[in-house]
Amino acid sequence: MSLIPQVDIDRELIKRRGLYEFVKRAWHLAEPSVRYVDNWHIPVVCKHIECCIAGYTEQDRRLICNQPPGTCKSLIFSVFLPAWIWTVWPGFCSIYASFDPDISLRDAKRTLLILDSQWYKERWPHVKLRDSKPAIGDFYNTA
């Protein structure tokens, strides 16, 4: 009896459980020096984001997320979401902005760390960055 490779397990769990599972499994790439600590709000926010993207109803197409600082808001919306959504919808295009350009670039760097990681490439080999050295604030995939 052979064991199922971790790559296949991760890919299947993320496919079934969505953005929340992606956040948990990719955390070490975006925040290598900080241990992931789960909390009730993380799956709730992730589920609302997924409903907004899917646009089940007119109400689902709009989302305002008011959270205190330090509760993963930027990480979920601006780092993990762009990397996760390409696993299910490679042609998805988006713009991420902040009042401070340094914050946008910080989060773009983290997203690129995920996209360029061996972990991500093994699980989603169909997602390829268009440029071998993409600009930090301006990157695309081949879809």
Side-chain angles (χ1 to χ4, degrees), residues 58-94:
E58 187 61 37
Q59 286 179 309
D60 289 330
R61 292 190 182 120
R62 296 187 179 116
L63 178 64
I64 295 175
C65 184
N66 295 313
Q67 287 178 235
T71 57
C72 301
K73 185 174 60 250
S74 293
L75 278 168
I76 293 171
F77 279 89
S78 302
V79 177
F80 293 113
L81 175 60
W84 168 78
I85 200 158
W86 280 355
T87 70
V88 292
W89 188 3
F92 186 82
C93 295
S94 58

Side-chain angles (χ1 to χ4, degrees), residues 12-76:
E12 185 62 29
L13 285 174
I14 291 167
K15 182 179 172 184
R16 290 181 187 201
R17 297 180 185 162
L19 178 58
Y20 172 58
E21 192 68 31
F22 185 86
V23 169
K24 293 191 306 183
R25 293 186 179 267
W27 182 269
H28 69 283
L29 300 167
E31 284 288 343
S33 62
V34 179
R35 185 175 64 88
Y36 176 77
V37 178
D38 208 1
N39 200 346
W40 67 269
H41 74 284
I42 298 172
V44 171
V45 169
C46 289
K47 188 49 72 182
H48 280 290
I49 291 170
E50 288 179 36
C51 288
C52 186
I53 290 168
Y56 294 122
T57 67
E58 187 61 37
Q59 286 179 309
D60 289 330
R61 292 190 182 120
R62 296 187 179 116
L63 178 64
I64 295 175
C65 184
N66 295 313
Q67 287 178 235
T71 57
C72 301
K73 185 174 60 250
S74 293
L75 278 168
I76 293 171

Side-chain angles (χ1 to χ4, degrees), residues 93-107:
C93 295
S94 58
I95 296 174
Y96 295 87
S98 172
F99 68 94
D100 182 349
D102 292 338
I103 291 174
S104 293
L105 291 175
R106 176 201 69 189
D107 292 344

